[in-house]
Amino acid sequence: MSANKPLPRVGSPLSGGVTVAEGLGLPEGAALPAAAGDGDVAGAGAGSPEAKAGIPSATSAANGKSKRLRKGMTNSFWPESMMPTESPHRGFTAPDVPPASVYDQCVRCGLCLPTCPTYLETLVETSSPRGRIALIKAVDEGRLDVASPGFVHQMHECLDCRACEAVCPSGVLYGQLLEPARTQVERVTGVHRSPGERAVRALTLGLLFSNLGTMRAAAALLRFYQRSGLQKFVRGTGLLRLLRLEALEAQAPRMSGRFFVARDQQWRGDARSTKATAFLHAGCVMTVAFAEVNDATVRVLNRSGCDVVAPSGQGCCGAIAIHAGEMEMGRELAKRNIAAFERSGADAYVVNAAGCGSALKEYGVLFAADPQWADRAAAFSERVRDVTEFLDAIGISPELGRLDAVVAYQDPCHLLHAQRIASAPRRLLAQIPGVVLREIEENAICCGSAGIYNVTQPDMSGRLKRRKVEHLLAVSPDIVATANPGCALQVAAGLRDAGRSVEVKHVVELLDDAYAAYRPESRAPSARASSIEG
């Protein structure tokens, strides 16, 4: 909000229909403070996120004691009847508390604002990383209820894309705040879900993602629905529209014709130069909806001189559970992958889904407070590599055939921001003869997929999807390349909505296509992509 505009009244809207009053639990029409004085919390002066979000200031910035908070808030804005009192929802409760050592690093410079997708769409302070950090801090200090609608909304409106982390001069690890905050919200609000909502959550998180056999069974039913003609029939009846399932059904990925099941397989690489043994993270959704990407990953790794193993003990990385506020469930899923890798004897844990890779690389943080698993998790995370990162480091075979195509590369947020990998996929694509690689505007802005965000926040997700597709189409690509399944689904849906027929492929699929197109006489050894444009 600009300095020359009056601060909103409590009834004014924030985003998603949530008002300042709902966020703070105040009566409609109450005026927000014009400014905070020097005697308030350090940094909570005029123009601060706290003032913009309407968060009351406090004498103590840390302990959240009711008496000290009340003393610091006796002003005209906060009449006695509105003073915070002792509440079971004031402050966070262990375990999984957003660390003050992280949020206190924020100097409120605002450099994160132009990188935040939800802020760009709303221009609302509380829809920015700076605003959300202020909200998290306010809850931790007892000045805001963890169950307040505004806080709950903002914790879930955030995409967790980590763009703010990449530009933060203070090095604030925002993800280490958001994910515990969501867990705190879930702990308080989850008990109030309807029986139907609890059943859906238990089915998806507790059954499908925790048991890949169950996921494959459900995927087989979905595959039958999609391929038997039943889908076309049901869509034609209007039943989906009547049940308000039309949008959700349209978002379901098309199931692979053959699932990729990790059964302790071993694939031998090029015998001329075995470089390493790679543990392939098969994933969960990847095994049933992107099995062809896993197959291509095996072939490209083999072609690059690596043996590949797919141990049966692995499973979901836990990212979906963690993002949904179920950190303990995420830990249980993570333990399987750590133990499977330890047994495998592999040199590296290679993953071809950027969102999974980000979660896998953060197991050390996830288990930091667990003395039994902390060292094992940290050692595991040190060996995790995104497939593009790994291939770029070990070098790929030069036996690449020609693919004459204009390719636009779409950066997955959890590869670009969370893992800080930008050049590796581009260097790999640049080695394919005939490829013209074009850069797009706002490549660092999220496409709106963000795990299951397109299901839980369809409006914001749709806005970001259209924004991304507009920039992609501006460079007239034949193919959109990416490195994350969620991004692939989101972009493909956006292209269909725009009425455009453009292929969306994983980087390793393009490398695999190029290897399949190779003919010894078709290219000189030094041939490279025709150009890189941007």
Side-chain angles (χ1 to χ4, degrees):
M1 186 178 302
S2 60
N4 60 349
K5 290 185 179 180
L7 287 163
R9 299 189 68 80
V10 171
S12 62
L14 292 176
S15 58
V18 177
T19 67
V20 178
E22 292 172 323
L24 299 175
L26 299 177
E28 294 292 331
L32 291 178
D38 294 338
D40 295 317
V41 174
S48 72
E50 285 89 343
K52 292 176 181 179
I55 299 169
S57 61
T59 300
S60 170
N63 63 21
K65 297 292 185 180
S66 178
K67 183 181 293 185
R68 295 183 66 184
L69 286 172
R70 291 166 64 88
K71 181 179 179 182
M73 286 190 256
T74 52
N75 55 42
S76 57
F77 172 59
W78 290 99
E80 190 70 20
S81 62
M82 295 185 188
M83 292 298 173
T85 58
E86 295 294 345
S87 164
H89 300 156
R90 294 274 175 189
F92 297 125
T93 57
D96 298 319
V97 173
S101 60
V102 175
Y103 67 61
D104 280 340
Q105 288 181 298
C106 177
V107 297
R108 306 182 176 106
C109 64
L111 290 177
C112 58
L113 271 62
T115 72
C116 177
T118 55
Y119 180 78
L120 290 176
E121 285 292 323
T122 65
L123 297 181
V124 171
E125 175 70 22
T126 47
S127 289
S128 73
R130 184 174 67 180
R132 292 184 179 115
I133 289 173
L135 292 173
I136 290 169
K137 182 176 181 180
V139 172
D140 198 23
E141 295 174 352
R143 296 181 280 128
L144 190 63
D145 197 306
V146 70
S148 62
F151 182 74
V152 173
H153 171 75
Q154 286 302 335
M155 294 307 100
H156 289 290
E157 185 191 62
C158 177
L159 295 124
D160 197 14
C161 70
R162 312 290 187 86
C164 52
E165 290 188 9
V167 300
C168 179
S170 300
V172 176
L173 298 175
Y174 177 80
Q176 294 183 21
L177 297 174
L178 181 71
E179 288 160 2
R182 285 181 176 173
T183 296
Q184 296 287 328
V185 168
E186 176 59 26
R187 194 176 294 158
V188 171
T189 64
V191 295
H192 301 297
R193 284 197 176 89
S194 69
E197 290 172 333
R198 288 198 295 269
V200 170
R201 192 176 179 90
L203 174 64
T204 53
L205 295 179
L207 192 57
L208 294 183
F209 288 97
S210 298
N211 187 320
L212 295 189
T214 305
M215 175 171 283
R216 287 193 294 271
L221 292 175
L222 180 57
R223 180 173 60 191
F224 175 78
Y225 168 77
Q226 292 173 334
R227 296 170 182 248
S228 65
L230 184 59
Q231 182 180 54
K232 183 178 181 180
F233 171 76
V234 171
R235 287 179 172 179
T237 64
L239 181 63
L240 294 172
R241 189 179 306 108
L242 181 65
L243 298 175
R244 298 182 180 181
L245 294 174
E246 192 172 30
L248 184 62
E249 188 265 0
Q251 291 173 356
R254 185 168 179 79
M255 295 295 101
S256 300
R258 179 185 58 80
F259 298 157
F260 185 101
V261 183
R263 295 195 179 101
D264 298 313
Q265 302 98 313
Q266 298 183 25
W267 296 271
R268 296 299 178 188
D270 188 337
R272 293 173 293 181
S273 57
T274 301
K275 300 174 181 176
T277 297
F279 181 122
L280 176 63
H281 178 75
C284 47
V285 174
M286 290 291 293
T287 64
V288 296
F290 293 90
E292 61 279 2
V293 176
N294 279 344
D295 290 334
T297 300
V298 171
R299 289 190 293 267
V300 172
L301 286 168
N302 282 167
R303 201 69 179 259
S304 301
C306 292
D307 293 340
V308 181
V309 296
S312 58
Q314 62 175 298
C316 174
C317 68
I320 294 294
I322 293 168
H323 296 331
E326 299 282 359
M327 292 187 74
E328 196 54 45
M329 182 185 296
R331 290 187 182 96
E332 291 305 311
L333 295 172
K335 289 175 182 178
R336 301 179 190 179
N337 296 319
I338 295 170
F341 180 64
E342 290 172 341
R343 292 191 299 266
S344 73
D347 300 302
Y349 193 102
V350 177
V351 57
N352 54 20
C356 298
S358 174
L360 292 159
K361 287 183 177 182
E362 293 173 356
Y363 279 3
V365 176
L366 187 64
F367 287 98
D370 187 334
Q372 294 184 341
W373 284 87
D375 290 342
R376 295 172 67 182
F380 169 86
S381 290
E382 288 177 359
R383 307 284 283 280
V384 176
R385 297 290 184 274
D386 181 78
V387 65
T388 62
E389 173 188 25
F390 186 70
L391 290 170
D392 184 57
I394 66 171
I396 61 175
S397 167
E399 296 177 345
L400 294 159
R402 189 174 185 84
L403 300 180
D404 290 308
V406 174
V407 175
Y409 176 68
Q410 186 265 334
D411 283 285
C413 293
H414 280 83
L415 193 63
L416 178 64
H417 305 310
Q419 300 184 59
R420 311 295 171 89
I421 298 172
S423 299
R426 289 172 169 83
R427 282 194 291 262
L428 293 172
L429 291 171
Q431 294 181 60
I432 302 175
V435 164
V436 177
L437 190 57
R438 290 182 179 168
E439 295 291 340
I440 69 169
E441 294 293 326
E442 292 191 343
N443 218 348
I445 300 299
C446 185
C447 67
S449 172
I452 57 173
Y453 189 90
N454 54 359
V455 176
T456 62
Q457 303 284 333
D459 178 65
M460 181 61 71
S461 176
R463 291 159 69 175
L464 293 171
K465 176 176 65 177
R466 291 187 290 273
R467 186 177 187 132
K468 177 67 66 176
V469 167
E470 179 181 345
H471 290 310
L472 286 166
L473 292 177
V475 301
S476 303
D478 300 309
I479 299 170
V480 174
T482 188
N484 189 59
C487 299
L489 291 173
Q490 180 84 339
V491 169
L495 290 168
R496 286 195 303 271
D497 293 345
R500 303 294 292 271
S501 179
V502 180
E503 283 190 285
V504 180
K505 289 198 168 191
H506 195 289
V507 172
V508 293
E509 289 185 288
L510 289 174
L511 291 172
D512 189 47
D513 290 345
Y515 284 131
Y518 176 71
R519 301 293 181 272
E521 69 280 1
S522 67
R523 59 164 279 173
S526 60
R528 287 293 181 266
S530 53
S531 65
I532 301 176
E533 302 175 359

